[in-house]
Amino acid sequence: MQYQNESEQINRKKILLRREIYDKGYDCQVFQDYMDQLNLNGGQDINIWTYQELQETITLFQTKNQLQMETINLDDEPCKQSDFDNHMQFETQEQQFSQNKQNKLQLDVQQQQQIVSNQIHQEILAKPNIDNDRFYQKIHLCQIQDKKMILIVQEINICITKFEKNQGSLLSASYYTYLVNTEPTGWNVQRSYNEFLWLREVLNKVYPGQYIPPLPKKAILKNEQELSLLKRMKFLEKFLQTLLQYELIRHDKWFYAFLSIKDDKDFKHIQKLSVLLSRVTKIEQIISLDGQIQLQINDNLGTYNHESALLINSIDLSYKTLQKDSKQLLLDFDQLSNTIYNMGQTCTDLYQFTNKFNQSIPQGKQPKLDILYISMNNMLVQWGNNLTAQIKIVQEELCSFFKFNHHSITSLKEFIKQKDQSQQEYEKYKSKLELKKNKLFALQDYNRWEVSSIQIKALQESNLTQNREVSLAIMLPQETTLQEDLKNIFAFYNYSQFSQIDRYFENTVTDCSEHFIRFCSLQKEIIAEQKLVWDKSILNFNNLHYPQQILLKNT
């Protein structure tokens, strides 16, 4: 972050002028004329003034202007004596009054300077210690989210119902789009994978300190297989559903446009507008629901963030293992089902052998052998079918699920890096500035402190130039302000890491509970179907063992 560039300096000067001249009710034109008197090269051009010079000029103008305001009532008295008959007597009185006024003005200037000096002295003593990083907490004003009222409804649901292949042109290859359906609004839009990427990039720019869920990696789909497209479709759907859980994102205008704008030309126009977006880097530019953000640094929060980062790393390793084991389970079920199907095929061969035998002999036929092998085949095929159904469940409910969660953890770790970087930048700048200030304090060269002469005089009169704590707090005000800005940014990300990880853990409990309720229900259905297979098989084998009416199922 480069704070001391030209545009930043101009903005700081404008803020100073607005706060000290306009907001305090001074005549702006009078102040401009006063600046022209002090600088014949065009005093109204703030580019030719340093920030320190501007501060000193404003202080002198305020002192002088206040005294002039006090003398206005005094000037009214000689004006009322305009009807004096003796013109010479009037001039004499006017000269005497003018001399008295000058004497009073000189005395008032001294008094005013002493008042200013006392005020500066009090401000110095009252100035908080910005280096207190053991406990720092404040509420900072920021931008308020412009809510999209239609998305306030809690029962919003987003799903991707299908994918379609779109033919490319001479300059572009074919690509797939996904039909995004939002209910109960009734929105149906076609979005490509690149447009999903666009949405995530925009949200990351606009909402620093807000965890944005992951997207599947950009890769060439393997032979455009339907399974790969289905897996990607589910991943994209989970991305949108996760965004919908965040109230701040739910009301975002770019998210709203992504879901609602159906016309392709209109949506391309929205994407072009987003090119003008710059990444938010200032606290004041951050958007929140109520126009306020929490800044916080303390030991407890530091411990939480450190330990939670370690926990996140451990969870990431475990999710990798679960994802790997899910893939292995998929292969195991596939191999097991193939093995059982092969066994069923062997039973079919047995049936063909016995059937051929029975057809080739006139007597001594063994029809029960035919029925036995058919029953064995039916049992194994139905068992294999249920195991094939397990393959789909494992793919969707375990492999895809743990893959998304692994990517979520990866995105969360990248989010944590923002806090680490802001902390490193703040601490590095703070250490450098402390070293610089200590050297300046040792030299006692007040001209390099970048402090106005009035402030230096107040320090000297109060014998505070030898007070290290006070001197370090008052010197180099611009760089000190930058340090405070860096501290606020670090405090913002520090609290954001806590709030986002805490919310992530809560959402993990909710999402995983709902997910595995569905998973267990599917397993329960599979087991119920398999139980019917075993029950029917037992009945068939009982009928063979104990001659009764034989129930057969066509294969």
Side-chain angles (χ1 to χ4, degrees):
M1 294 176 54
Q2 296 297 326
Y3 183 82
Q4 292 178 308
N5 54 43
E6 184 177 353
S7 61
E8 292 289 352
Q9 291 285 5
I10 292 175
N11 287 336
R12 282 178 52 76
K13 293 174 188 176
K14 289 181 178 178
I15 292 172
L16 176 66
L17 290 171
R18 183 174 67 247
R19 184 180 69 245
E20 298 297 330
I21 301 298
Y22 180 80
D23 291 347
K24 291 186 177 181
Y26 291 99
D27 191 319
C28 296
Q29 185 59 50
V30 173
F31 179 71
Q32 291 175 3
D33 294 340
Y34 180 71
M35 294 176 72
D36 284 333
Q37 292 175 8
L38 296 179
N39 196 321
L40 299 178
N41 293 325
Q44 297 183 31
D45 185 3
I46 62 175
N47 288 319
I48 67 174
W49 299 83
T50 67
Y51 189 84
Q52 182 180 352
E53 290 173 343
L54 202 56
Q55 280 183 313
E56 294 179 358
T57 301
I58 290 172
T59 301
L60 293 174
F61 171 77
Q62 289 174 336
T63 302
K64 181 178 180 180
N65 194 58
Q66 287 175 358
L67 296 174
Q68 288 179 343
M69 291 172 66
E70 292 177 0
T71 61
I72 289 175
N73 293 330
L74 295 176
D75 289 338
D76 288 341
E77 291 300 321
C79 292
K80 292 179 181 179
Q81 301 179 19
S82 60
D83 58 342
F84 280 11
D85 296 332
N86 192 328
H87 181 70
M88 292 300 295
Q89 182 180 0
F90 171 78
E91 287 185 349
T92 302
Q93 291 178 349
E94 187 179 47
Q95 290 174 0
Q96 184 178 359
F97 179 81
S98 176
Q99 183 63 40
N100 292 336
K101 185 173 69 173
Q102 290 178 3
N103 294 336
K104 186 178 185 304
L105 179 62
Q106 184 176 2
L107 178 63
D108 287 344
V109 167
Q110 294 175 353
Q111 293 176 347
Q112 188 66 28
Q113 288 178 341
Q114 184 61 41
I115 293 173
V116 172
S117 177
N118 292 338
Q119 290 176 344
I120 293 174
H121 181 203
Q122 294 174 1
E123 290 176 359
I124 291 170
L125 294 178
K127 189 174 182 66
N129 183 4
I130 64 169
D131 297 335
N132 182 14
D133 293 343
R134 298 296 301 275
F135 183 84
Y136 179 76
Q137 181 173 337
K138 64 185 292 188
I139 301 295
H140 203 290
L141 299 181
C142 63
Q143 302 295 318
I144 300 178
Q145 178 67 286
D146 181 17
K147 293 185 177 180
K148 298 300 180 183
M149 302 304 293
I150 196 170
L151 292 179
I152 290 181
V153 181
Q154 295 294 326
E155 290 75 19
I156 295 290
N157 182 53
I158 301 176
C159 63
I160 300 181
T161 55
K162 64 177 181 178
F163 54 84
E164 293 181 357
K165 186 174 183 179
N166 296 263
Q167 296 300 325
S169 62
L170 291 175
L171 301 177
S172 62
S174 60
Y175 62 97
Y176 284 88
T177 56
Y178 302 86
L179 181 61
V180 181
N181 175 257
T182 306
E183 294 296 346
T185 58
W187 296 332
N188 289 281
V189 296
Q190 294 277 356
R191 295 288 180 254
S192 67
Y193 174 79
N194 285 336
E195 288 167 341
F196 279 87
L197 284 178
W198 165 83
L199 174 62
R200 190 173 191 274
E201 290 171 0
V202 167
L203 295 179
N204 272 321
K205 280 185 179 180
V206 177
Y207 300 102
Q210 173 73 47
Y211 166 70
I212 306 299
L215 283 171
K217 293 181 180 179
K218 190 171 185 179
I220 299 175
L221 296 174
K222 299 177 181 179
N223 301 323
E224 298 182 346
Q225 293 178 354
E226 183 177 356
L227 179 59
S228 298
L229 290 165
L230 287 172
K231 288 164 60 178
R232 170 167 287 189
M233 187 175 78
K234 288 296 181 182
F235 204 121
L236 297 175
E237 181 180 83
K238 184 65 175 177
F239 166 75
L240 295 177
Q241 290 173 346
T242 305
L243 287 178
L244 197 61
Q245 296 176 5
Y246 306 151
E247 188 176 2
L248 183 65
I249 303 297
R250 182 188 301 182
H251 301 302
D252 175 74
K253 62 182 180 181
W254 305 101
F255 186 45
Y256 179 86
F258 181 90
L259 296 176
S260 62
I261 297 180
K262 190 168 187 176
D263 185 81
D264 188 59
K265 290 183 179 179
D266 291 340
F267 187 68
K268 294 297 183 187
H269 177 67
I270 293 293
Q271 289 182 288
K272 288 182 180 179
L273 291 177
S274 71
V275 175
L276 302 175
L277 283 174
S278 298
R279 186 174 296 276
V280 172
T281 57
K282 298 183 181 299
I283 296 292
E284 295 77 12
Q285 298 173 339
I286 293 170
I287 301 173
S288 73
L289 291 171
D290 58 359
Q292 297 181 346
I293 53 174
Q294 180 77 251
L295 310 181
Q296 194 171 126
I297 304 172
N298 60 61
D299 291 343
N300 290 338
L301 200 59
T303 300
Y304 178 92
N305 286 342
H306 175 72
E307 294 299 327
S308 63
L310 295 178
L311 176 59
I312 289 296
N313 287 328
S314 299
I315 291 175
D316 186 31
L317 294 175
S318 296
Y319 274 136
K320 286 182 180 178
T321 302
L322 286 170
Q323 184 182 0
K324 179 181 177 181
D325 290 342
S326 296
K327 291 181 178 179
Q328 185 59 50
L329 183 60
L330 195 67
L331 295 174
D332 292 342
F333 272 120
D334 185 57
Q335 183 176 355
L336 180 58
S337 62
N338 285 334
T339 301
I340 293 175
Y341 281 136
N342 290 337
M343 294 174 67
Q345 181 60 49
T346 302
C347 291
T348 301
D349 294 339
L350 288 172
Y351 163 73
Q352 292 175 347
F353 296 152
T354 58
N355 182 259
K356 181 179 179 182
F357 169 76
N358 287 329
Q359 290 180 1
S360 63
I361 59 175
Q363 63 180 20
K365 296 180 183 296
Q366 297 292 328
K368 288 185 179 182
L369 279 177
D370 292 349
I371 298 172
L372 173 65
Y373 296 140
I374 290 175
S375 298
M376 290 169 61
N377 171 266
N378 290 343
M379 175 192 69
L380 293 168
V381 168
Q382 292 172 39
W383 187 15
N385 289 340
N386 282 335
L387 288 172
T388 300
Q390 282 280 19
I391 293 175
K392 183 179 180 181
I393 294 175
V394 170
Q395 176 63 61
E396 295 182 358
E397 306 300 330
L398 292 183
C399 291
S400 298
F401 177 78
F402 289 123
K403 180 179 181 180
F404 180 83
N405 279 275
H406 165 57
H407 283 280
S408 295
I409 290 292
T410 302
S411 296
L412 198 59
K413 289 165 67 176
E414 294 173 356
F415 171 80
I416 292 173
K417 284 183 180 180
Q418 292 180 313
K419 188 271 295 182
D420 293 338
Q421 290 172 354
S422 66
Q423 182 176 3
Q424 292 170 7
E425 188 171 2
Y426 162 62
E427 291 178 347
K428 181 179 179 180
Y429 187 88
K430 174 188 172 184
S431 177
K432 183 178 179 181
L433 185 58
E434 283 179 349
L435 181 62
K436 183 177 180 181
K437 284 186 173 183
N438 281 314
K439 287 182 178 179
L440 290 177
F441 177 77
L443 292 172
Q444 290 288 297
D445 184 358
Y446 307 131
N447 293 327
R448 296 173 60 187
W449 286 20
E450 299 181 9
V451 179
S452 68
S453 58
I454 296 177
Q455 289 175 307
I456 292 295
K457 185 177 180 181
L459 286 170
Q460 291 173 327
E461 291 176 351
S462 304
N463 294 321
L464 291 175
T465 54
Q466 301 302 315
N467 186 309
R468 180 181 297 273
E469 182 179 357
V470 172
S471 297
L472 295 185
I474 200 68
M475 68 171 61
L476 304 178
Q478 293 186 48
E479 295 177 65
T480 301
T481 300
L482 175 55
Q483 178 179 322
E484 292 174 341
D485 290 342
L486 292 173
K487 181 175 184 177
N488 285 336
I489 292 172
F490 162 48
F492 166 70
Y493 280 117
N494 195 50
Y495 183 80
S496 294
Q497 178 178 334
F498 160 72
S499 61
Q500 296 296 309
I501 289 181
D502 185 64
R503 185 178 67 176
Y504 175 83
F505 288 153
E506 290 181 358
N507 289 342
T508 297
V509 173
T510 301
D511 293 345
C512 287
S513 297
E514 292 178 353
H515 179 83
F516 284 106
I517 286 173
R518 182 171 62 254
F519 175 78
C520 293
S521 297
L522 292 172
Q523 291 296 333
K524 184 178 177 181
E525 292 175 4
I526 291 290
I527 292 174
E529 291 179 4
Q530 188 59 45
K531 182 178 180 300
L532 290 177
V533 172
W534 300 139
D535 288 341
K536 291 180 180 179
S537 298
I538 290 172
L539 181 60
N540 286 336
F541 294 132
N542 274 332
N543 288 335
L544 283 172
H545 187 58
Y546 306 101
Q548 298 174 9
Q549 182 180 359
I550 298 175
L551 301 178
L552 296 177
K553 181 176 180 180
N554 294 328
T555 58

Short mmCIF file of all heavy atoms in Angstrom, two decimals, residues 348-372:
data_model
loop_
_atom_site.label_atom_id
_atom_site.label_comp_id
_atom_site.label_asym_id
_atom_site.label_seq_id
_atom_site.Cartn_x
_atom_site.Cartn_y
_atom_site.Cartn_z
N THR A 348 -25.76 -68.00 -14.37
CA THR A 348 -26.48 -68.11 -15.65
C THR A 348 -25.89 -69.23 -16.49
O THR A 348 -26.63 -70.01 -17.14
CB THR A 348 -26.40 -66.79 -16.43
OG1 THR A 348 -26.98 -65.74 -15.65
CG2 THR A 348 -27.13 -66.89 -17.76
N ASP A 349 -24.57 -69.36 -16.46
CA ASP A 349 -23.92 -70.46 -17.17
C ASP A 349 -24.37 -71.81 -16.60
O ASP A 349 -24.64 -72.76 -17.35
CB ASP A 349 -22.40 -70.33 -17.07
CG ASP A 349 -21.87 -69.10 -17.80
OD1 ASP A 349 -22.59 -68.58 -18.68
OD2 ASP A 349 -20.75 -68.65 -17.48
N LEU A 350 -24.45 -71.88 -15.27
CA LEU A 350 -24.92 -73.13 -14.63
C LEU A 350 -26.33 -73.48 -15.09
O LEU A 350 -26.65 -74.65 -15.35
CB LEU A 350 -24.87 -72.98 -13.11
CG LEU A 350 -23.47 -72.98 -12.47
CD1 LEU A 350 -23.58 -72.63 -10.98
CD2 LEU A 350 -22.80 -74.33 -12.66
N TYR A 351 -27.19 -72.47 -15.14
CA TYR A 351 -28.55 -72.71 -15.61
C TYR A 351 -28.55 -73.24 -17.04
O TYR A 351 -29.30 -74.17 -17.38
CB TYR A 351 -29.37 -71.42 -15.52
CG TYR A 351 -30.63 -71.46 -16.34
CD1 TYR A 351 -31.74 -72.23 -15.93
CD2 TYR A 351 -30.72 -70.77 -17.56
CE1 TYR A 351 -32.88 -72.27 -16.70
CE2 TYR A 351 -31.85 -70.83 -18.33
CZ TYR A 351 -32.95 -71.58 -17.90
OH TYR A 351 -34.08 -71.65 -18.66
N GLN A 352 -27.74 -72.64 -17.91
CA GLN A 352 -27.70 -73.09 -19.30
C GLN A 352 -27.21 -74.53 -19.41
O GLN A 352 -27.70 -75.32 -20.23
CB GLN A 352 -26.81 -72.15 -20.12
CG GLN A 352 -27.40 -70.75 -20.30
CD GLN A 352 -26.45 -69.81 -21.02
OE1 GLN A 352 -25.26 -70.12 -21.17
NE2 GLN A 352 -26.96 -68.66 -21.44
N PHE A 353 -26.24 -74.89 -18.53
CA PHE A 353 -25.73 -76.27 -18.54
C PHE A 353 -26.85 -77.25 -18.16
O PHE A 353 -27.05 -78.27 -18.84
CB PHE A 353 -24.55 -76.41 -17.58
CG PHE A 353 -23.34 -75.59 -17.97
CD1 PHE A 353 -22.46 -75.13 -16.98
CD2 PHE A 353 -23.08 -75.29 -19.30
CE1 PHE A 353 -21.34 -74.41 -17.34
CE2 PHE A 353 -21.97 -74.55 -19.65
CZ PHE A 353 -21.10 -74.08 -18.67
N THR A 354 -27.53 -76.93 -17.05
CA THR A 354 -28.58 -77.87 -16.59
C THR A 354 -29.76 -77.87 -17.54
O THR A 354 -30.39 -78.92 -17.75
CB THR A 354 -29.05 -77.48 -15.18
OG1 THR A 354 -29.54 -76.12 -15.19
CG2 THR A 354 -27.92 -77.60 -14.18
N ASN A 355 -30.08 -76.75 -18.09
CA ASN A 355 -31.22 -76.68 -19.02
C ASN A 355 -30.93 -77.49 -20.28
O ASN A 355 -31.80 -78.22 -20.78
CB ASN A 355 -31.48 -75.22 -19.40
CG ASN A 355 -32.68 -75.07 -20.33
OD1 ASN A 355 -32.52 -74.92 -21.54
ND2 ASN A 355 -33.87 -75.14 -19.76
N LYS A 356 -29.70 -77.41 -20.75
CA LYS A 356 -29.31 -78.21 -21.92
C LYS A 356 -29.35 -79.70 -21.59
O LYS A 356 -29.80 -80.53 -22.41
CB LYS A 356 -27.91 -77.81 -22.36
CG LYS A 356 -27.41 -78.56 -23.59
CD LYS A 356 -26.02 -78.09 -23.98
CE LYS A 356 -25.52 -78.85 -25.20
NZ LYS A 356 -24.15 -78.46 -25.57
N PHE A 357 -28.90 -80.01 -20.35
CA PHE A 357 -28.94 -81.40 -19.91
C PHE A 357 -30.38 -81.91 -19.87
O PHE A 357 -30.69 -83.01 -20.34
CB PHE A 357 -28.28 -81.53 -18.54
CG PHE A 357 -28.48 -82.85 -17.87
CD1 PHE A 357 -27.76 -83.98 -18.28
CD2 PHE A 357 -29.42 -82.98 -16.84
CE1 PHE A 357 -27.98 -85.21 -17.68
CE2 PHE A 357 -29.61 -84.22 -16.24
CZ PHE A 357 -28.89 -85.33 -16.65
N ASN A 358 -31.28 -81.14 -19.29
CA ASN A 358 -32.68 -81.58 -19.16
C ASN A 358 -33.36 -81.73 -20.51
O ASN A 358 -34.23 -82.60 -20.69
CB ASN A 358 -33.47 -80.59 -18.29
CG ASN A 358 -33.10 -80.70 -16.82
OD1 ASN A 358 -32.74 -81.78 -16.36
ND2 ASN A 358 -33.17 -79.58 -16.08
N GLN A 359 -32.99 -80.89 -21.44
CA GLN A 359 -33.60 -80.97 -22.76
C GLN A 359 -33.05 -82.14 -23.58
O GLN A 359 -33.68 -82.58 -24.54
CB GLN A 359 -33.39 -79.65 -23.52
CG GLN A 359 -34.18 -78.48 -22.95
CD GLN A 359 -33.93 -77.21 -23.73
OE1 GLN A 359 -33.17 -77.21 -24.71
NE2 GLN A 359 -34.59 -76.12 -23.32
N SER A 360 -31.89 -82.65 -23.17
CA SER A 360 -31.25 -83.70 -23.98
C SER A 360 -31.61 -85.11 -23.51
O SER A 360 -31.23 -86.09 -24.15
CB SER A 360 -29.73 -83.52 -23.97
OG SER A 360 -29.23 -83.67 -22.65
N ILE A 361 -32.31 -85.23 -22.39
CA ILE A 361 -32.64 -86.58 -21.88
C ILE A 361 -34.15 -86.75 -21.84
O ILE A 361 -34.89 -85.80 -21.57
CB ILE A 361 -32.03 -86.79 -20.47
CG1 ILE A 361 -32.56 -85.74 -19.49
CG2 ILE A 361 -30.51 -86.75 -20.51
CD1 ILE A 361 -32.13 -85.93 -18.06
N PRO A 362 -34.61 -87.98 -22.08
CA PRO A 362 -36.06 -88.24 -22.07
C PRO A 362 -36.60 -88.42 -20.66
O PRO A 362 -37.79 -88.21 -20.42
CB PRO A 362 -36.20 -89.53 -22.88
CG PRO A 362 -34.88 -90.21 -22.71
CD PRO A 362 -33.85 -89.14 -22.58
N GLN A 363 -35.77 -88.86 -19.75
CA GLN A 363 -36.25 -89.06 -18.38
C GLN A 363 -35.13 -88.71 -17.40
O GLN A 363 -33.98 -88.55 -17.76
CB GLN A 363 -36.66 -90.52 -18.16
CG GLN A 363 -35.52 -91.52 -18.30
CD GLN A 363 -35.99 -92.95 -18.07
OE1 GLN A 363 -37.19 -93.25 -18.17
NE2 GLN A 363 -35.04 -93.83 -17.78
N GLY A 364 -35.52 -88.55 -16.12
CA GLY A 364 -34.56 -88.16 -15.09
C GLY A 364 -34.21 -86.68 -15.10
O GLY A 364 -33.14 -86.29 -14.66
N LYS A 365 -35.13 -85.87 -15.66
CA LYS A 365 -34.85 -84.42 -15.72
C LYS A 365 -34.76 -83.84 -14.30
O LYS A 365 -35.39 -84.32 -13.37
CB LYS A 365 -35.97 -83.72 -16.51
CG LYS A 365 -36.04 -84.15 -17.97
CD LYS A 365 -37.17 -83.41 -18.68
CE LYS A 365 -37.32 -83.86 -20.11
NZ LYS A 365 -36.14 -83.56 -20.94
N GLN A 366 -34.00 -82.78 -14.18
CA GLN A 366 -33.79 -82.10 -12.89
C GLN A 366 -34.25 -80.63 -12.99
O GLN A 366 -33.45 -79.69 -13.04
CB GLN A 366 -32.32 -82.15 -12.49
CG GLN A 366 -31.77 -83.54 -12.27
CD GLN A 366 -32.39 -84.17 -11.03
OE1 GLN A 366 -32.71 -83.49 -10.08
NE2 GLN A 366 -32.59 -85.49 -11.07
N PRO A 367 -35.56 -80.36 -13.01
CA PRO A 367 -36.05 -78.98 -13.14
C PRO A 367 -35.67 -78.08 -11.95
O PRO A 367 -35.52 -76.88 -12.08
CB PRO A 367 -37.56 -79.15 -13.24
CG PRO A 367 -37.85 -80.46 -12.59
CD PRO A 367 -36.68 -81.33 -12.89
N LYS A 368 -35.51 -78.70 -10.76
CA LYS A 368 -35.15 -77.89 -9.60
C LYS A 368 -33.76 -77.27 -9.74
O LYS A 368 -33.47 -76.22 -9.17
CB LYS A 368 -35.22 -78.72 -8.34
CG LYS A 368 -36.63 -79.05 -7.90
CD LYS A 368 -36.62 -79.77 -6.56
CE LYS A 368 -38.05 -80.08 -6.09
NZ LYS A 368 -38.04 -80.73 -4.76
N LEU A 369 -32.89 -77.96 -10.50
CA LEU A 369 -31.57 -77.37 -10.73
C LEU A 369 -31.68 -76.07 -11.53
O LEU A 369 -31.00 -75.08 -11.24
CB LEU A 369 -30.67 -78.35 -11.48
CG LEU A 369 -30.00 -79.45 -10.64
CD1 LEU A 369 -29.22 -80.38 -11.54
CD2 LEU A 369 -29.08 -78.82 -9.59
N ASP A 370 -32.57 -76.12 -12.55
CA ASP A 370 -32.80 -74.89 -13.34
C ASP A 370 -33.28 -73.76 -12.42
O ASP A 370 -32.79 -72.62 -12.48
CB ASP A 370 -33.84 -75.13 -14.44
CG ASP A 370 -33.32 -76.06 -15.52
OD1 ASP A 370 -32.10 -76.32 -15.51
OD2 ASP A 370 -34.12 -76.48 -16.37
N ILE A 371 -34.24 -74.08 -11.57
CA ILE A 371 -34.82 -73.08 -10.67
C ILE A 371 -33.78 -72.58 -9.66
O ILE A 371 -33.70 -71.40 -9.34
CB ILE A 371 -36.05 -73.65 -9.94
CG1 ILE A 371 -37.13 -74.02 -10.97
CG2 ILE A 371 -36.58 -72.67 -8.92
CD1 ILE A 371 -38.30 -74.77 -10.37
N LEU A 372 -32.96 -73.49 -9.17
CA LEU A 372 -31.92 -73.13 -8.20
C LEU A 372 -30.95 -72.10 -8.79
O LEU A 372 -30.67 -71.07 -8.17
CB LEU A 372 -31.14 -74.37 -7.77
CG LEU A 372 -29.91 -74.12 -6.88
CD1 LEU A 372 -30.33 -73.53 -5.54
CD2 LEU A 372 -29.12 -75.40 -6.73
#
